[in-house]
Amino acid sequence: GEKGVATTLELQEDGAMHEFLYGKEETYDSRSPWYRWQTFLSLKALSGTVDEVLRTRYSAVPEQILTYEAASDSFVSKEIKEVGTIEQIRVYERGKGGVATKLLLVGSEGVFLVKNEYHVRAVLTDGETKAALQNDDSYACGNLLPSAFFTIEVTQSGESVSGIKLTGGGFGHGVGMSQNGAKNLANLGYDATDILEFYYEGCQVKQ
């Protein structure tokens, strides 16, 4: 956007997200190593870690890790037994800015809905995952994906899905002001008031 005018992209649809993440548009963040990253996850490896991750998350926030129940045709909060072999993973819902806020997990033993971007990030790691940054560095994700601002593409092995490729952007919760973007705006001569008004649409800085 122009100086002092925030631009909010509508990225709730997967197609718009994919286009944005693969686009070459220059932004105030685009030279940061974290602006774009990619990681690959084997569904076999993920199937081995997902039960424990879901159970841990469920014990902390049972209302955010839901299980599909055929009898009521709805997702309910109940103890996680087993996911089984993961057959499908997809973003179920995104926030306005594109962050994945709900993730659907289809396993051979059940179907699960993970709510909250933080839990989505925790589920999509197997402890060994590394993200390739755009400056060719790599980052060990540990137990948390760099951000929930990503798209999922499946990789096939013959007829079946063998893994997923995540293409994402940024590091952190993805809400509010980008530190790299703020730094680059400052380097361009923007002052603190300009930067705050750029990132927080409609706000006014007063004495």
Side-chain angles (χ1 to χ4, degrees):
E2 294 172 35
K3 187 172 176 181
V5 179
T7 307
T8 304
L9 295 170
E10 293 287 348
L11 296 172
Q12 283 170 292
E13 299 300 321
D14 271 352
M17 266 293 287
H18 190 276
E19 205 174 300
F20 177 73
L21 286 168
Y22 279 87
K24 299 295 179 193
E25 187 183 349
E26 281 278 317
T27 73
Y28 294 116
D29 285 81
S30 52
R31 297 198 181 151
S32 157
W34 284 103
Y35 184 65
R36 293 290 176 266
W37 49 261
Q38 280 193 340
T39 187
F40 292 86
L41 285 164
S42 144
L43 289 194
K44 187 178 178 184
L46 208 55
S47 296
T49 59
V50 72
D51 285 355
E52 189 184 343
V53 173
L54 285 187
R55 285 182 194 132
T56 303
R57 300 275 152 189
Y58 176 82
S59 65
V61 281
E63 72 283 357
Q64 293 184 356
I65 311 296
L66 306 178
T67 301
Y68 179 73
E69 195 175 66
S72 62
D73 189 25
S74 61
F75 286 96
V76 298
S77 176
K78 65 191 229 180
E79 210 159 321
I80 309 293
K81 288 183 179 169
E82 194 185 350
V83 177
T85 304
I86 295 174
E87 296 168 354
Q88 191 191 128
I89 297 177
R90 70 177 174 87
V91 174
Y92 192 79
E93 193 174 287
R94 294 184 185 277
K96 192 174 181 182
V99 168
T101 53
K102 291 180 187 174
L103 185 77
L104 186 74
L105 266 175
V106 179
S108 58
E109 304 301 316
V111 178
F112 305 87
L113 187 65
V114 177
K115 298 165 84 172
N116 184 305
E117 60 92 20
Y118 188 78
H119 306 309
V120 168
R121 289 165 66 194
V123 166
L124 290 174
T125 55
D126 58 13
E128 306 294 322
T129 309
K130 288 191 174 174
L133 311 188
Q134 70 172 9
N135 66 346
D136 297 327
D137 281 351
S138 73
Y139 169 78
C141 298
N143 298 316
L144 206 61
L145 207 60
S147 77
F149 192 75
F150 61 81
T151 59
I152 298 175
E153 291 171 78
V154 299
T155 55
Q156 297 280 135
S157 177
E159 290 295 301
S160 59
V161 174
S162 61
I164 53 173
K165 178 173 89 168
L166 304 179
T167 301
F171 183 93
H173 51 63
V175 177
M177 183 168 66
S178 159
Q179 292 177 32
N180 288 313
K183 180 173 178 279
N184 290 334
L185 284 169
N187 289 342
L188 290 169
Y190 285 61
D191 66 21
T193 299
D194 291 332
I195 294 169
L196 286 168
E197 289 178 353
F198 177 86
Y199 279 105
Y200 298 98
E201 191 172 4
C203 92
Q204 284 185 308
V205 179
K206 294 181 177 179
Q207 289 289 351

